[in-house]
Amino acid sequence: MLLVLLLGGCSGDGAKGDAAKLPPNPAVPVQVGEVRRMTVPVQVQVIGSVEAYSTVSVKSQVAGIVQAVHFRDGQDVRQGDLLFSLDPRPFQAALNQAEANLARDQAQLQNARAQDRRYTALYKEGIVSQDQFDQYHSTAAQLAAAVRADQAAVESDRIQLGYCAIRSPMDGRTGAVLVDQGNVVGANGTTMVVINQIQPIYVDFAVPEQYLSEIRGLMTRHLRVEATVPHEPNRPEWGVVTFVNNTVDTSTGTILLKGTFPNEDRRLWPGEYVNITLTLSDQPNAVVAPAQAVQTGTQGDYVYVLEPNRTVQYRPVKVGAGYRGYTVVEKGLQPGETVITDGQIMLRPGAKVEVKTGL
């Protein structure tokens, strides 16, 4: 029994000695930021899709053989540029025949009118009968009608011949050429190429219906909208909201809008997805904290606030919208306070910290 007590006593003294030698918990290295006031725009941020301002599927208006293709895939074209040529020979032959018919009937009409004038004079003198006068007068009228029909046929054939030169109906960018030289195309049949107008260009996007009244009120002063390509967030494109749909989508609770963008640098492309920011108003003197300071836990959002004695305090917060690296804090912080922006994973309430820079 004495041996056990002595051993126990020696063991207890050693543990106390070891505990006395343990170093205090080291300070956690952190970075900090300041809570401040600033004017924050009230914005709606959604995803939008780019849509061509207008799209035309080019088709032939007459049936024929493709004689030549005058552009390349993906080429920019101007209104009136020649795109395709069809074999014009059948149409030229039809036009020649119509012009010959017109010339024949015009000659016959000229003779018939001379006869009509002559018999009109003889009828007035009582030399010819009423039947003879009516016959020549009717013949002249019939030939006059035939000449008008021939003139219409010539104009129609001339138009058909003109359709052999297929030109761009607008400024735009062509897609892939869908027919090649030698292909036979029908009238209003095969799509030969699709042209998209991309300057200007549309961006479609949907916003929650709760903003509809405010958006409609702002439309009178050209409500501006910002679009950014995902891989180029610092180069926004600016446009104007030009369309608000006439109905709310009840399945999603959103309203469809369109913005028109000049797209001078052609950075927006049909079918592309972009980030849309719609600024509705400004919130002056909003309390904001660096966005990195706000953490989300099981109890909601919180931040760690730096105390004067270099310890941290756990602080639950109510946050609002974000803007340019800051988050609006509606409740829980005051301007001038310092919050932890990096290193929170190693913190607990009351922990000692060491403020570092350049981490």
Side-chain angles (χ1 to χ4, degrees):
M1 177 65 69
L2 180 60
L3 178 62
V4 172
L5 290 176
L6 288 174
L7 290 174
C10 292
S11 176
D13 291 342
K16 289 180 182 179
D18 291 342
K21 295 177 182 177
L22 288 176
N25 290 331
V28 179
V30 296
Q31 287 184 307
V32 298
E34 184 182 359
V35 180
R36 52 183 293 197
R37 288 189 184 274
M38 64 184 299
T39 298
V40 177
V42 178
Q43 297 176 325
V44 181
Q45 295 182 328
V46 294
I47 302 298
S49 61
V50 183
E51 175 190 346
Y53 191 78
S54 58
T55 300
V56 173
S57 296
V58 177
K59 299 180 179 181
S60 176
Q61 293 179 272
V62 294
I65 300 174
V66 177
Q67 192 175 59
V69 180
H70 300 280
F71 67 99
R72 303 181 307 277
D73 294 344
Q75 180 178 322
D76 293 325
V77 293
R78 306 287 294 178
Q79 183 177 6
D81 285 354
L82 183 61
L83 302 177
F84 300 93
S85 294
L86 303 184
D87 185 359
R89 290 175 297 176
F91 303 96
Q92 184 64 59
L95 176 59
N96 293 341
Q97 182 177 0
E99 289 175 338
N101 293 338
L102 174 61
R104 179 198 61 200
D105 290 343
Q106 284 177 330
Q108 292 179 350
L109 175 61
Q110 185 176 3
N111 180 62
R113 282 176 173 171
Q115 293 282 8
D116 183 37
R117 288 192 298 270
R118 188 160 46 249
Y119 273 81
T120 297
L122 293 175
Y123 173 71
K124 289 179 180 179
E125 295 176 5
I127 299 175
V128 298
S129 66
Q130 178 75 43
D131 289 342
Q132 289 176 308
F133 166 73
D134 290 343
Q135 179 182 352
Y136 282 98
H137 187 72
S138 176
T139 299
Q142 290 174 4
L143 286 171
V147 167
R148 289 195 296 272
D150 291 341
Q151 290 172 335
V154 168
E155 183 62 25
S156 176
D157 287 338
R158 187 174 287 120
I159 291 173
Q160 296 291 304
L161 178 61
Y163 288 154
C164 291
I166 301 174
R167 300 182 180 275
S168 175
M170 65 180 185
D171 296 350
R173 188 176 182 89
T174 63
V177 180
L178 302 178
V179 295
D180 296 317
Q181 182 178 350
N183 289 155
V184 177
V185 294
N188 198 31
T190 304
T191 297
M192 305 175 76
V193 69
V194 176
I195 302 176
N196 283 334
Q197 184 178 359
I198 58 176
Q199 289 179 296
I201 202 166
Y202 285 133
V203 176
D204 301 341
F205 57 98
V207 300
E209 63 179 305
Q210 68 193 66
Y211 298 107
L212 177 57
S213 297
E214 190 171 0
I215 289 171
R216 291 178 58 193
L218 295 171
M219 287 286 288
T220 57
R221 60 176 181 86
H222 300 295
L223 179 59
R224 298 184 73 199
V225 59
E226 176 185 340
T228 55
V229 180
H231 64 276
E232 296 180 297
N234 297 322
R235 294 182 60 196
E237 294 284 330
W238 289 94
V240 177
V241 176
T242 52
F243 170 77
V244 178
N245 202 8
N246 58 3
T247 184
V248 173
D249 187 339
T250 55
S251 64
T252 61
T254 59
I255 182 79
L256 176 66
L257 280 69
K258 281 188 180 183
T260 302
F261 292 76
N263 201 27
E264 295 175 355
D265 297 330
R266 299 189 177 189
R267 295 179 56 243
L268 303 179
W269 214 248
E272 182 180 35
Y273 288 99
V274 293
N275 298 316
I276 292 294
T277 301
L278 188 64
T279 302
L280 302 179
S281 60
D282 289 326
Q283 180 181 352
N285 296 319
V287 177
V288 298
Q292 306 96 310
V294 180
Q295 305 291 302
T296 301
T298 57
Q299 303 298 318
D301 296 320
Y302 67 94
V303 298
Y304 281 111
V305 179
L306 181 64
E307 298 288 353
N309 62 357
R310 295 300 179 186
T311 62
V312 294
Q313 179 191 77
Y314 173 90
R315 187 88 59 84
V317 293
K318 180 181 179 182
V319 300
Y323 178 67
R324 293 187 177 179
Y326 287 90
T327 298
V328 175
V329 180
E330 299 175 356
K331 184 179 180 181
L333 290 176
Q334 295 296 323
E337 290 188 299
T338 302
V339 291
I340 308 302
T341 60
D342 186 70
Q344 296 98 321
I345 193 171
M346 300 178 64
L347 295 180
R348 66 181 188 280
K352 285 255 182 206
V353 296
E354 180 182 359
V355 177
K356 299 288 187 180
T357 58
L359 289 178

